[in-house]
Amino acid sequence: MNILDTIVAEKVKEVAAAKERISSWELEKTELFGRKTLSLKQFLLDPDRTGIIAEFKRKSPSKGMFNAGLRAADITKVYADNGASGLSILTDEPFFGGNKEDLTSARFNEVPILRKDFMIDEYQVVEAKAIGADVILLIASCLSPQRVKEMAAFAHSFGLEVLLEIHDDTELKHICDEVDMVGVNNRDLKTFTVDVQRSIELSNLIPAGKVKISESGISDVNTIHQLTDYGYKGFLIGESFMKQPDPAIAFSEFAKKLKEAR
């Protein structure tokens, strides 16, 4: 099996265990479940913001551990205070070192939060709302086009927005009315190789009505300007910041350079 297959197989077991611990009905009774969500789509289209979805993650399957001891609340506060249009927080534990508490701890920030995980079941959508997320990620490589439609519609019923992630032109068929944004992952989830050219190649194939987001492999301001020329409004960046000694400082300096270059 490739890396993605291994992750999904583990996720099936993880979700089954979670259902045994707490039911969807119980999740719907939690405090955060009733909060009004924020729109990532609107934040990305706000010209006064950076367009950056700043990610908090502790490790990756290909690079290992980054900054295990950092607190999500501390780092995301700097991200938000310095113009992040959104926050992305990894909640997968076995492969990315994340947890649901990281997301909940960052909920005080008044910017939209994407739950970054491998979503395969409606239960995870309910869970995302209960822990304070505003947006869920649906990965085309993990789901059929029909499952994307079903899960996206289910997410909308709770006021959550949906970011669909694709990697190549074979996954364009997953794009449907029910998804709010389309992200192009420049990292191949099967091999973990990265190529920003992927976003450029797919830019004109994404329907005009969808907000376009480029994900992974972005480490300099010039790349953002280049991608903006191809219609991208959002730029998901995590590893470039998280691998630095102080991700908060790395982000604030990057945001400053981006503002100065505009």
Side-chain angles (χ1 to χ4, degrees):
M1 293 196 298
N2 58 46
I3 298 173
L4 182 60
D5 291 338
T6 301
I7 292 173
V8 171
E10 183 64 29
K11 195 61 57 177
V12 170
K13 293 186 287 185
E14 179 185 308
V15 172
K19 289 178 179 179
E20 291 292 323
R21 289 193 300 271
I22 181 169
S23 68
S24 294
W25 180 84
E26 291 173 294
L27 287 173
E28 292 184 31
K29 298 295 182 181
T30 57
E31 181 180 357
L32 288 175
F33 194 87
R35 64 174 283 274
K36 181 176 174 58
T37 53
L38 300 171
S39 170
L40 177 59
K41 183 176 178 178
Q42 289 182 9
F43 272 64
L44 290 175
L45 295 175
D46 183 347
D48 293 328
R49 291 188 170 270
T50 59
I52 297 173
I53 303 169
E55 188 163 272
F56 181 86
K57 68 176 180 180
R58 302 180 188 279
K59 71 175 184 178
S60 79
S62 60
K63 299 292 179 63
M65 195 66 69
F66 297 127
N67 274 300
L70 295 179
R71 287 168 21 104
D74 296 336
I75 302 303
T76 57
K77 182 179 187 305
V78 178
Y79 286 168
D81 289 348
N82 284 274
S85 295
L87 304 171
S88 171
I89 299 182
L90 266 295
T91 57
D92 173 81
E93 184 171 359
F95 301 93
F96 290 88
N99 56 69
K100 292 182 282 291
E101 289 73 23
D102 280 341
L103 195 151
T104 301
S105 73
R107 183 58 279 165
F108 67 91
N109 293 292
E110 289 299 315
V111 295
I113 298 180
L114 166 70
R115 181 188 182 181
K116 186 82 171 289
D117 211 318
F118 298 83
M119 311 290 278
I120 57 169
D121 191 286
E122 280 80 358
Y123 177 87
Q124 294 166 287
V125 177
V126 178
E127 196 176 51
K129 186 71 167 15
I131 62 176
D134 301 286
V135 191
I136 63 161
L137 177 72
L138 297 181
I139 303 174
S141 298
C142 300
L143 302 163
S144 68
Q146 181 61 31
R147 285 298 287 148
V148 168
K149 288 177 68 71
E150 292 168 353
M151 291 186 68
F154 187 73
H156 282 172
S157 73
F158 295 114
L160 295 166
E161 288 186 332
V162 178
L163 168 60
L164 171 68
E165 177 180 294
I166 64 174
H167 178 67
D168 58 39
D169 57 2
T170 67
E171 295 173 344
L172 291 166
K173 61 183 179 293
H174 288 71
I175 301 174
C176 56
D177 292 341
E178 288 78 5
V179 302
D180 302 285
M181 295 155 283
V182 177
V184 177
N185 194 345
N186 301 310
R187 176 177 285 110
D188 187 330
L189 290 177
K190 297 176 181 178
T191 64
F192 275 71
T193 56
V194 180
D195 184 2
V196 175
Q197 188 67 26
R198 183 71 59 182
S199 286
I200 294 173
E201 292 171 352
L202 294 177
S203 60
N204 290 330
L205 301 178
I206 298 171
K210 301 298 183 185
V211 172
K212 293 186 286 193
I213 298 170
S214 182
E215 308 171 14
S216 301
I218 302 170
S219 60
D220 64 78
V221 169
N222 289 334
T223 301
I224 288 183
H225 289 312
Q226 181 184 24
L227 290 168
T228 299
D229 290 340
Y230 284 89
Y232 285 89
K233 299 295 185 182
F235 314 94
L236 196 152
I237 308 175
E239 192 172 301
S240 179
F241 302 136
M242 291 301 299
K243 68 183 181 182
Q244 301 301 321
D246 190 329
I249 292 176
F251 177 80
S252 60
E253 291 178 346
F254 189 92
K256 183 180 179 181
K257 289 179 183 177
L258 183 61
K259 184 177 181 180
E260 291 172 347
R262 283 179 171 172

